[in-house]
Amino acid sequence: MLFCIVQIYMNKEITSGSYSILFKQNGFDRLTNYLNSKNYSKIFIHIDNNTKKFCLDVFLAKITLEKYDLIESCDGEENKNINSCLKLWEIISNNGGDRNSLIINLGGGVVTDMGGFIASTYKRGIDYINVPTTLLSMVDASIGGKTGIDFGILKNQIGTFHDPQMVIIESDFLKTLKTNQISSGYAEIFKHSLIYDLKTFNQLIKNDKINYDLNIIYDSINIKNSIVLIDKKEKKERKSLNYGHTLGHAIESYFLNTEKKLLHGEAIAIGIILASFISNKLFKFSISHVNSIKKHVDSIYKKIEINENQIESIIDLLIHDKKNSHGKINFVLLEDVAKPIYDVQVNKSLIKESFKYYLS
Ligand code: GLY
């Protein structure tokens, strides 16, 4: 059975405007053909310390590639910044990178976001390919052409829209991940179901553990891609992908340099509970959905204690979120599963109430 499912997905592909999202060995074969046909002057494989150890040899065994240079960044959100970019640009430049060079990003969200960013800015934009190795990057970061880095503690403040040439999904890379990395990625899978697909939502919510089989990964990528295709530049529908992120990003930023440091999805999972509670108060999003979302999230993620002073500081960080404009805090909320509402302003006391609900 598993073999059959893998076979089906090997030959499937998802088209996203000018590029394709390809699966398993079919993707690697297409990459080999692509590289043979393109005659890039230089190919840089962008890795981090983890993917160098766990994924690089596996990747190289799946493609035919004679000459390449490695560029390495340090793992972790704290390294997704301009200093890391300066080092990467310098190595590329010193090693003869020109306008006809290619960067292959082999890694998680930090590698694919930052690698996309250095590609989009080097010589005013060179080609890149994403080979995500974490669940988060497979279903979210590598899809949709957003590239970027953090600015101080504020997430993704500097960035571009620049599509990759292709994205290759190899779920075998997930075997190299720790459980918290899987649950971090799962938050985006769960969010995709909530904003877009009642059937997947019902399928996920009934479990008290994480479902991330290839079927679910494929559906999740398909949801994100469908939304991006309607609204690439995030004027309206793409904002729904920020469900749970307004507060989630602020929570992630707040704890970034503390011993409670959270992975992206761990913070977003809290943000999803908060946004769902606020959705109930403002748009009558069914309380039974809100309670089952909380139960589901609580069964997967450890509870983070957040005291009143910390809540105040998190709310202060919200005004810096790039999704907010004219000094107003904008939320994406839900009136029902798959029925998002955009640009809702929420007052401070309701935000505080939502934290109480999360902590209860
Ligand atoms: N991760 C949200 C987006 O790609 O729009």
Side-chain angles (χ1 to χ4, degrees):
M1 178 63 183
L2 187 62
F3 179 72
C4 292
I5 293 172
V6 169
Q7 279 295 58
I8 292 166
Y9 284 101
M10 266 179 73
N11 296 318
K12 270 196 172 186
E13 75 180 74
I14 297 174
T15 306
S16 185
S18 61
Y19 71 96
S20 289
I21 301 155
L22 303 158
F23 290 79
K24 309 284 291 179
Q25 192 55 47
N26 175 47
F28 295 111
D29 294 344
R30 291 270 292 273
L31 174 58
T32 298
N33 292 340
Y34 175 83
L35 296 178
N36 286 336
S37 72
K38 286 298 276 195
N39 198 24
Y40 282 111
S41 55
K42 276 268 173 183
I43 296 175
F44 295 94
I45 303 181
H46 177 207
I47 46 172
D48 68 16
N49 37 305
N50 288 321
T51 55
K52 184 180 188 179
K53 201 160 149 196
F54 299 113
C55 306
L56 182 59
D57 288 347
V58 178
F59 171 65
L60 291 171
K62 286 175 184 289
I63 58 168
T64 310
L65 177 61
E66 274 164 22
K67 273 186 77 181
Y68 60 88
D69 288 45
L70 288 178
I71 49 174
E72 186 173 343
S73 41
C74 298
D75 73 315
E77 190 69 29
E78 61 276 23
N79 294 304
K80 200 174 102 177
N81 57 35
I82 195 71
N83 295 329
S84 304
C85 291
L86 289 172
K87 286 185 198 133
L88 295 170
W89 283 317
E90 189 176 15
I91 303 169
I92 294 171
S93 179
N94 289 345
N95 285 282
D98 62 19
R99 295 190 87 160
N100 193 34
S101 299
L102 171 78
I103 298 177
I104 300 176
N105 295 311
L106 178 69
V110 172
V111 168
T112 55
D113 278 2
M114 189 159 67
F117 179 68
I118 56 165
S120 76
T121 43
Y122 187 73
K123 306 266 183 197
R124 297 201 177 82
I126 61 170
D127 287 352
Y128 75 103
I129 286 172
N130 282 336
V131 185
T133 57
T134 63
L135 190 56
L136 184 88
S137 189
M138 285 179 197
V139 299
D140 189 16
S142 13
I143 312 294
K146 273 189 185 175
T147 81
I149 53 171
D150 301 338
F151 185 53
I153 59 166
L154 300 173
K155 297 252 319 159
N156 299 330
Q157 298 289 298
I158 316 288
T160 59
F161 288 97
H162 185 61
D163 278 338
Q165 298 301 301
M166 67 173 74
V167 179
I168 300 170
I169 305 297
E170 174 48 272
S171 49
D172 286 354
F173 286 129
L174 301 177
K175 293 177 190 154
T176 66
L177 296 183
K178 294 193 181 122
T179 323
N180 62 348
Q181 291 280 356
I182 296 287
S183 44
S184 177
Y186 177 76
E188 301 292 352
I189 292 181
F190 185 53
K191 176 206 74 184
H192 287 163
S193 79
L194 253 171
I195 59 171
Y196 196 82
D197 186 12
L198 181 62
K199 189 166 156 270
T200 310
F201 172 76
N202 285 333
Q203 186 186 347
L204 298 177
I205 200 87
K206 62 178 192 252
N207 293 317
D208 58 4
K209 59 180 178 9
I210 298 170
N211 184 347
Y212 63 103
D213 63 29
L214 200 49
N215 214 347
I216 290 285
I217 293 173
Y218 180 89
D219 289 347
S220 200
I221 293 172
N222 226 349
I223 292 174
K224 170 147 189 191
N225 188 48
S226 307
I227 295 170
V228 169
L229 285 177
I230 303 168
D231 174 28
K232 185 166 177 73
K233 292 282 172 77
E234 202 174 304
K235 299 288 176 217
K236 189 178 170 207
E237 288 84 353
R238 189 169 183 164
K239 290 181 182 179
S240 64
L241 291 166
N242 299 321
Y243 190 71
H245 283 58
T246 305
L247 279 160
H249 268 166
I251 294 167
E252 185 183 4
S253 294
Y254 180 79
F255 288 116
L256 190 63
N257 293 316
T258 72
E259 83 270 9
K260 265 196 199 156
K261 180 174 178 287
L262 298 174
L263 292 176
H264 175 69
E266 293 172 329
I268 297 312
I270 302 173
I272 288 174
I273 295 182
L274 303 175
S276 301
F277 176 86
I278 296 169
S279 297
N280 167 261
K281 294 292 172 199
L282 296 183
F283 296 105
K284 303 206 172 356
F285 180 40
S286 136
I287 192 65
S288 77
H289 277 331
V290 179
N291 288 334
S292 48
I293 289 165
K294 181 170 185 293
K295 185 164 170 274
H296 185 61
V297 170
D298 283 348
S299 71
I300 293 168
Y301 303 89
K302 67 175 186 298
K303 180 70 79 190
I304 304 300
E305 288 308 324
I306 310 176
N307 66 36
E308 285 194 14
N309 289 340
Q310 291 172 323
I311 293 171
E312 286 287 345
S313 306
I314 289 165
I315 295 174
D316 283 347
L317 279 175
L318 280 181
I319 49 167
H320 294 291
D321 189 296
K322 68 187 177 313
K323 270 104 194 175
N324 300 314
S325 59
H326 304 287
K328 303 234 165 72
I329 302 165
N330 289 321
F331 279 75
V332 181
L333 297 175
L334 290 174
E335 59 181 353
D336 203 347
V337 174
K339 288 206 177 124
I341 300 174
Y342 312 101
D343 298 329
V344 184
Q345 273 134 46
V346 179
N347 67 42
K348 205 168 165 177
S349 70
L350 185 52
I351 296 176
K352 286 185 177 172
E353 216 187 310
S354 70
F355 274 97
K356 277 202 193 111
Y357 174 74
Y358 165 70
L359 293 164
S360 65

